[in-house]
Short mmCIF file of all heavy atoms in Angstrom, two decimals:
data_model
loop_
_atom_site.label_atom_id
_atom_site.label_comp_id
_atom_site.label_asym_id
_atom_site.label_seq_id
_atom_site.Cartn_x
_atom_site.Cartn_y
_atom_site.Cartn_z
N ALA A 1 13.10 3.15 5.20
CA ALA A 1 14.17 3.49 4.25
C ALA A 1 14.62 4.93 4.42
O ALA A 1 15.82 5.23 4.32
CB ALA A 1 13.70 3.24 2.82
N ILE A 2 13.68 5.83 4.68
CA ILE A 2 14.04 7.24 4.92
C ILE A 2 14.93 7.33 6.15
O ILE A 2 15.98 7.97 6.13
CB ILE A 2 12.77 8.11 5.07
CG1 ILE A 2 12.02 8.18 3.74
CG2 ILE A 2 13.13 9.52 5.57
CD1 ILE A 2 10.63 8.79 3.84
N GLY A 3 14.50 6.69 7.22
CA GLY A 3 15.28 6.70 8.46
C GLY A 3 16.66 6.10 8.28
O GLY A 3 17.66 6.65 8.74
N GLN A 4 16.72 4.97 7.58
CA GLN A 4 18.02 4.31 7.36
C GLN A 4 18.95 5.20 6.55
O GLN A 4 20.12 5.36 6.89
CB GLN A 4 17.81 2.97 6.66
CG GLN A 4 19.10 2.20 6.46
CD GLN A 4 18.86 0.85 5.81
OE1 GLN A 4 17.84 0.60 5.19
NE2 GLN A 4 19.83 -0.04 5.95
N HIS A 5 18.44 5.81 5.49
CA HIS A 5 19.25 6.70 4.64
C HIS A 5 19.81 7.87 5.45
O HIS A 5 20.96 8.25 5.28
CB HIS A 5 18.40 7.21 3.48
CG HIS A 5 19.13 8.08 2.52
ND1 HIS A 5 19.39 7.68 1.23
CD2 HIS A 5 19.66 9.33 2.63
CE1 HIS A 5 20.05 8.64 0.60
NE2 HIS A 5 20.21 9.65 1.42
N ALA A 6 18.97 8.40 6.34
CA ALA A 6 19.35 9.59 7.11
C ALA A 6 20.05 9.25 8.42
O ALA A 6 20.51 10.14 9.13
CB ALA A 6 18.12 10.44 7.39
N GLY A 7 20.11 7.97 8.75
CA GLY A 7 20.72 7.57 10.02
C GLY A 7 19.88 7.98 11.22
O GLY A 7 20.41 8.33 12.27
N ILE A 8 18.56 7.92 11.04
CA ILE A 8 17.61 8.33 12.09
C ILE A 8 16.69 7.16 12.37
O ILE A 8 16.21 6.51 11.44
CB ILE A 8 16.76 9.54 11.62
CG1 ILE A 8 17.65 10.75 11.36
CG2 ILE A 8 15.67 9.87 12.61
CD1 ILE A 8 16.92 11.89 10.66
N ASP A 9 16.41 6.90 13.63
CA ASP A 9 15.43 5.88 13.99
C ASP A 9 14.09 6.29 13.38
O ASP A 9 13.67 7.44 13.50
CB ASP A 9 15.32 5.79 15.52
CG ASP A 9 14.42 4.66 15.95
OD1 ASP A 9 13.19 4.77 15.71
OD2 ASP A 9 14.92 3.69 16.53
N GLN A 10 13.42 5.34 12.72
CA GLN A 10 12.17 5.68 12.04
C GLN A 10 11.12 6.24 12.99
O GLN A 10 10.22 6.95 12.58
CB GLN A 10 11.63 4.50 11.25
CG GLN A 10 11.06 3.38 12.08
CD GLN A 10 10.54 2.23 11.21
OE1 GLN A 10 10.81 2.16 10.02
NE2 GLN A 10 9.81 1.34 11.82
N PHE A 11 11.25 5.94 14.28
CA PHE A 11 10.28 6.46 15.25
C PHE A 11 10.57 7.92 15.62
O PHE A 11 9.72 8.59 16.19
CB PHE A 11 10.24 5.56 16.48
CG PHE A 11 9.82 4.16 16.13
CD1 PHE A 11 10.74 3.13 16.11
CD2 PHE A 11 8.51 3.88 15.77
CE1 PHE A 11 10.36 1.84 15.75
CE2 PHE A 11 8.12 2.60 15.41
CZ PHE A 11 9.05 1.57 15.41
N ASP A 12 11.76 8.42 15.27
CA ASP A 12 12.11 9.83 15.48
C ASP A 12 11.89 10.65 14.21
O ASP A 12 12.04 11.86 14.21
CB ASP A 12 13.58 9.97 15.89
CG ASP A 12 13.88 9.33 17.24
OD1 ASP A 12 12.96 9.27 18.08
OD2 ASP A 12 15.02 8.89 17.44
N LEU A 13 11.52 9.96 13.15
CA LEU A 13 11.43 10.58 11.83
C LEU A 13 10.42 11.72 11.77
O LEU A 13 10.71 12.77 11.19
CB LEU A 13 11.08 9.51 10.80
CG LEU A 13 11.30 9.82 9.35
CD1 LEU A 13 12.74 10.24 9.08
CD2 LEU A 13 10.94 8.60 8.51
N THR A 14 9.26 11.56 12.37
CA THR A 14 8.22 12.59 12.30
C THR A 14 8.70 13.89 12.91
O THR A 14 8.57 14.96 12.30
CB THR A 14 6.93 12.11 12.99
OG1 THR A 14 6.49 10.91 12.35
CG2 THR A 14 5.84 13.15 12.92
N GLY A 15 9.29 13.83 14.08
CA GLY A 15 9.78 15.04 14.74
C GLY A 15 10.94 15.68 14.00
O GLY A 15 10.97 16.90 13.81
N ASP A 16 11.89 14.86 13.54
CA ASP A 16 13.04 15.39 12.80
C ASP A 16 12.59 16.03 11.48
O ASP A 16 13.09 17.07 11.08
CB ASP A 16 14.07 14.30 12.54
CG ASP A 16 14.84 13.89 13.78
OD1 ASP A 16 14.66 14.54 14.84
OD2 ASP A 16 15.62 12.93 13.71
N THR A 17 11.62 15.39 10.82
CA THR A 17 11.11 15.94 9.56
C THR A 17 10.38 17.25 9.82
O THR A 17 10.57 18.23 9.06
CB THR A 17 10.18 14.93 8.87
OG1 THR A 17 10.94 13.75 8.54
CG2 THR A 17 9.59 15.50 7.59
N ALA A 18 9.58 17.32 10.86
CA ALA A 18 8.86 18.56 11.19
C ALA A 18 9.84 19.69 11.47
O ALA A 18 9.62 20.83 11.03
CB ALA A 18 7.93 18.34 12.38
N ARG A 19 10.92 19.40 12.18
CA ARG A 19 11.93 20.44 12.46
C ARG A 19 12.62 20.90 11.17
O ARG A 19 12.86 22.09 10.99
CB ARG A 19 12.95 19.93 13.48
CG ARG A 19 12.39 19.92 14.92
CD ARG A 19 13.44 19.54 15.95
NE ARG A 19 13.81 18.13 15.91
CZ ARG A 19 13.07 17.14 16.43
NH1 ARG A 19 11.92 17.42 17.04
NH2 ARG A 19 13.48 15.89 16.37
N LEU A 20 12.91 19.96 10.28
CA LEU A 20 13.55 20.32 9.01
C LEU A 20 12.60 21.18 8.16
O LEU A 20 13.02 22.18 7.59
CB LEU A 20 13.97 19.07 8.24
CG LEU A 20 14.61 19.31 6.87
CD1 LEU A 20 15.85 20.19 6.98
CD2 LEU A 20 14.92 17.99 6.19
N ILE A 21 11.34 20.80 8.10
CA ILE A 21 10.35 21.58 7.34
C ILE A 21 10.28 23.01 7.88
O ILE A 21 10.29 23.97 7.11
CB ILE A 21 8.97 20.88 7.36
CG1 ILE A 21 9.02 19.64 6.45
CG2 ILE A 21 7.86 21.82 6.94
CD1 ILE A 21 7.79 18.74 6.57
N ALA A 22 10.24 23.15 9.19
CA ALA A 22 10.17 24.48 9.80
C ALA A 22 11.44 25.28 9.51
O ALA A 22 11.37 26.45 9.13
CB ALA A 22 9.94 24.36 11.31
N LYS A 23 12.60 24.65 9.67
CA LYS A 23 13.88 25.35 9.45
C LYS A 23 14.03 25.77 7.99
O LYS A 23 14.55 26.86 7.70
CB LYS A 23 15.04 24.43 9.86
CG LYS A 23 16.40 25.09 9.78
CD LYS A 23 17.47 24.15 10.34
CE LYS A 23 18.86 24.76 10.22
NZ LYS A 23 19.89 23.86 10.79
N ALA A 24 13.54 24.94 7.06
CA ALA A 24 13.65 25.25 5.63
C ALA A 24 12.58 26.23 5.17
O ALA A 24 12.63 26.68 4.03
CB ALA A 24 13.54 23.96 4.82
N GLU A 25 11.64 26.53 6.06
CA GLU A 25 10.51 27.41 5.74
C GLU A 25 9.62 26.82 4.65
O GLU A 25 9.11 27.51 3.77
CB GLU A 25 11.00 28.82 5.39
CG GLU A 25 11.76 29.47 6.53
CD GLU A 25 12.31 30.84 6.21
OE1 GLU A 25 12.20 31.32 5.06
OE2 GLU A 25 12.85 31.47 7.15
N ALA A 26 9.45 25.50 4.73
CA ALA A 26 8.58 24.78 3.79
C ALA A 26 7.19 24.61 4.39
O ALA A 26 7.03 24.66 5.61
CB ALA A 26 9.19 23.41 3.47
N ASP A 27 6.22 24.41 3.53
CA ASP A 27 4.85 24.19 3.99
C ASP A 27 4.57 22.72 4.26
O ASP A 27 3.69 22.40 5.06
CB ASP A 27 3.86 24.72 2.96
CG ASP A 27 3.92 26.23 2.83
OD1 ASP A 27 4.16 26.90 3.85
OD2 ASP A 27 3.73 26.73 1.71
N ASN A 28 5.28 21.82 3.59
CA ASN A 28 5.10 20.38 3.77
C ASN A 28 6.27 19.67 3.08
O ASN A 28 7.19 20.33 2.59
CB ASN A 28 3.74 19.92 3.21
CG ASN A 28 3.52 20.33 1.77
OD1 ASN A 28 4.45 20.36 0.97
ND2 ASN A 28 2.28 20.65 1.42
N GLU A 29 6.23 18.34 3.04
CA GLU A 29 7.35 17.58 2.48
C GLU A 29 7.53 17.81 0.98
O GLU A 29 8.66 17.86 0.49
CB GLU A 29 7.16 16.08 2.75
CG GLU A 29 7.33 15.72 4.21
CD GLU A 29 7.03 14.27 4.49
OE1 GLU A 29 7.16 13.42 3.58
OE2 GLU A 29 6.66 13.96 5.63
N ALA A 30 6.43 17.95 0.23
CA ALA A 30 6.56 18.21 -1.21
C ALA A 30 7.23 19.56 -1.46
O ALA A 30 8.11 19.69 -2.31
CB ALA A 30 5.18 18.15 -1.88
N HIS A 31 6.83 20.56 -0.68
CA HIS A 31 7.44 21.89 -0.80
C HIS A 31 8.91 21.84 -0.38
O HIS A 31 9.76 22.54 -0.94
CB HIS A 31 6.64 22.88 0.05
CG HIS A 31 6.99 24.31 -0.17
ND1 HIS A 31 6.97 25.23 0.84
CD2 HIS A 31 7.39 24.98 -1.28
CE1 HIS A 31 7.32 26.40 0.36
NE2 HIS A 31 7.59 26.29 -0.91
N LEU A 32 9.20 21.00 0.61
CA LEU A 32 10.58 20.81 1.06
C LEU A 32 11.48 20.36 -0.11
O LEU A 32 12.60 20.84 -0.25
CB LEU A 32 10.62 19.77 2.19
CG LEU A 32 11.96 19.51 2.85
CD1 LEU A 32 12.42 20.71 3.66
CD2 LEU A 32 11.88 18.27 3.73
N ILE A 33 10.96 19.48 -0.95
CA ILE A 33 11.74 19.00 -2.09
C ILE A 33 12.01 20.14 -3.06
O ILE A 33 13.12 20.33 -3.54
CB ILE A 33 11.04 17.82 -2.79
CG1 ILE A 33 10.79 16.66 -1.82
CG2 ILE A 33 11.83 17.37 -4.02
CD1 ILE A 33 12.02 16.18 -1.05
N ARG A 34 10.99 20.94 -3.35
CA ARG A 34 11.17 22.10 -4.24
C ARG A 34 12.23 23.04 -3.67
O ARG A 34 13.14 23.48 -4.38
CB ARG A 34 9.85 22.84 -4.42
CG ARG A 34 9.98 24.05 -5.32
CD ARG A 34 8.66 24.81 -5.45
NE ARG A 34 8.77 25.85 -6.43
CZ ARG A 34 8.56 25.71 -7.73
NH1 ARG A 34 8.19 24.54 -8.21
NH2 ARG A 34 8.71 26.71 -8.56
N LEU A 35 12.12 23.34 -2.38
CA LEU A 35 13.09 24.24 -1.75
C LEU A 35 14.49 23.61 -1.72
O LEU A 35 15.49 24.33 -1.82
CB LEU A 35 12.63 24.63 -0.35
CG LEU A 35 11.41 25.55 -0.30
CD1 LEU A 35 10.96 25.77 1.15
CD2 LEU A 35 11.68 26.87 -0.99
N GLY A 36 14.55 22.30 -1.60
CA GLY A 36 15.85 21.62 -1.66
C GLY A 36 16.57 21.90 -2.96
O GLY A 36 17.79 22.08 -2.99
#
């Protein structure tokens, strides 16, 4: 569902999420939401 919403193949999701976390300067996905 995350991949479909974002238009990303679910198998690319881990890498794309890791890049977003790094770019946002977040520590993890929960912190990413706070920073969002």
Side-chain angles (χ1 to χ4, degrees):
I2 293 169
Q4 183 178 19
H5 182 112
I8 297 170
D9 186 292
Q10 72 180 13
F11 300 106
D12 295 331
L13 197 56
T14 301
D16 287 354
T17 298
R19 284 185 289 282
L20 178 58
I21 287 171
K23 185 174 177 178
E25 299 178 356
D27 293 325
N28 54 36
E29 290 175 25
H31 191 214
L32 184 69
I33 302 308
R34 179 183 187 87
L35 291 175

